[in-house]
Amino acid sequence: MTAIDQSRTVAVVGTGTMGQGIAQVALVAGHPVRLYDAVPGRAGEAADAIGARLDRLVEKGRMDAAARDAARAGLHAAAELAELADAALVVEAVLEQLPVKQDLFTALEEIVADDCVLATNTSSLSVTAIAGALRNPGRFVGLHFFNPAPLLPLVEVVSGFATEEAAATRAYETAKAWGKTPVRCTDTPGFIVNRIARPFYAEAFAVYEERGADPATIDAVLRESGGFRMGPFELTDLIGQDVNEAVTRSVWESFFQSPKFTPSLAQRRLVESGLHGRKSGRGWFSYEEGVPRPEPHTAPATEPPSHITVEGGLGPAGELLGMIREAGISVREADEDQGTRIVLPSGGQLVLADGQTSAEFRDVVYFDLALDYRTATRIALSASEVTGWETLRQSIGLFQALGKKVSVIGDVPGMIVARTVAMLVDLAADAVAKGVATPQDIDTAMRLGVNYPLGPVEWGRRLGRSWAHELLDELHARVPTGRYAPSLGLYRQSYVRLEKDEAGT
């Protein structure tokens, strides 16, 4: 099954921002495009707006005038739904209300030809449920574009329970022909991106609610250590707290209130207070003119230790050993493998976040996971009231000697980056195990859809098959709500790897 031919008409119903964006994508790809909106006059206004955007592309040198003229000639506003009769593909971008979408597609089914593919751009409703009202649900598919559609490459091609393979493949190949990067998935709440991305927000909010750190510090750690482009507090302020919380709540409810997706009470209070982020002037941060952004907590400069002793390598943080030597700090290696830790001159220990807490040990400082310890500019440390001051001071000085800013946070299990990444890896493993999408499509979706520095499947491989499982197992022991219980998919991954290791393969 190939892409829809460029000569065939693509119709877009709903002419808001997303509808206009999808129409522009199809138009630039060479299709005749018809726009329809239930509100009289809206389709014509949308056509004018798209034409103006094409003019700006020409002005910026991103499109030549001849292509612009051809595209504008192929764009038409439809006054009646019946004018979409010759469409080979109809994409809907109307209100996120199930009855509205069902009524629309029921009407379209009486108008378009039997070979026309019907597609919804829904981000929160079930593709299967929308198609349930149709007499031929086999040709119905989800085509979830990301906003702004002309710029963002990702398109989730979603197969409902009754979607035929031919329709899904035709939609996939058409999106690809339009210059997009399509990924395929089954009809699951949140599809790929909105399902797997929930821990990026939820774990940051949980650390905040546990009084582990303030929003500015959590954001800085995830950016500067985790490699994420934006922190979750600033990102949800940009998205809109009401919008982000609604998506989280929708996924949670669709999964029968699974603890894996429990919404944040702190975020709910923001929404109830009308503090929706940038658009309201205040969310987690204030956007009023003249109000400075809060700075992340950064420890003052202190002297590094003269030497350290390493026991058991450092696992995913192993590259630190070379960096420590390069900084002129003597590294001694213990004869016996007694764990995975750094022993400081104070006698205290510096340990990579593993889901346990400092309060459980006599004198331990935890340090957080980094995407790349060489390029990371900030490292988080975690200590408790029983941690010796000299051990904390030497830990701070050690990372400062490596050129890092240091943020000391509260004694929260799993810290910030480590627990976030472990949960992302877990949800990805769960999605793969349940046939939601392939590992490759999941990684592509998360890199392109939300700009993650690594796809969660690849991240899990780099950290070791059992790393996320072991950290979440420890977290689950300390927070036994079910939220951190490793999924069956993650358990199987870890178990298979352990079996292979024991067999020497």
Side-chain angles (χ1 to χ4, degrees), residues 177-377:
W178 290 357
K180 296 300 181 182
T181 303
V183 294
R184 296 186 64 165
C185 65
T186 59
D187 184 22
T188 185
F191 308 142
I192 299 175
V193 173
N194 280 330
R195 170 180 175 151
I196 296 176
R198 296 346 294 165
F200 178 68
Y201 312 106
E203 294 314 308
F205 298 162
V207 171
Y208 169 74
E209 290 174 343
E210 292 162 19
R211 302 179 68 83
D214 60 276
T217 299
I218 296 170
D219 276 358
V221 170
L222 282 162
R223 284 195 316 268
E224 300 172 39
S225 185
F228 293 93
R229 184 167 297 184
M230 295 181 73
F233 293 91
E234 59 188 342
L235 180 55
T236 52
D237 268 357
L238 178 63
I239 294 169
Q241 298 301 332
D242 53 336
V243 174
N244 180 263
E245 202 262 354
V247 172
T248 298
R249 188 166 293 276
S250 172
V251 172
W252 175 62
E253 290 174 349
S254 296
F255 277 109
F256 307 104
Q257 299 185 355
S258 164
K260 291 277 187 183
F261 303 99
T262 302
S264 161
L265 180 60
Q267 187 181 37
R268 175 97 288 255
R269 293 293 179 257
L270 275 185
V271 174
E272 291 172 340
S273 301
L275 304 178
H276 294 167
R278 287 181 178 272
K279 61 187 177 184
S280 68
R282 185 180 165 196
W284 295 109
F285 306 111
S286 175
Y287 299 91
E288 296 177 9
E289 188 175 350
V291 177
R293 282 286 291 273
E295 293 292 327
H297 168 75
T298 302
T302 189
E303 289 294 315
S306 59
H307 67 274
I308 63 166
T309 301
V310 178
E311 297 179 352
L314 287 179
E319 65 184 320
L320 282 174
L321 298 182
M323 296 168 59
I324 293 169
R325 289 188 176 98
E326 292 165 15
I329 298 171
S330 175
V331 177
R332 306 169 185 175
E333 297 191 34
D335 293 334
E336 296 182 9
D337 183 358
Q338 301 178 34
T340 302
R341 58 201 176 195
I342 293 172
V343 180
L344 298 160
S346 66
Q349 299 172 15
L350 185 58
V351 182
L352 176 63
D354 59 7
Q356 301 183 80
T357 62
S358 294
E360 300 169 49
F361 305 97
R362 185 182 64 81
D363 196 10
V364 167
V365 171
Y366 278 103
F367 67 95
D368 210 347
L369 182 69
L371 173 67
D372 182 331
Y373 283 98
R374 283 198 175 273
T375 59
T377 57

Side-chain angles (χ1 to χ4, degrees), residues 475-496:
L475 260 171
H476 177 56
R478 287 151 184 81
V479 189
T481 60
R483 180 189 185 113
Y484 300 109
S487 68
L488 181 58
L490 188 65
Y491 173 80
R492 284 172 175 159
Q493 266 187 18
S494 176
Y495 186 82
V496 167

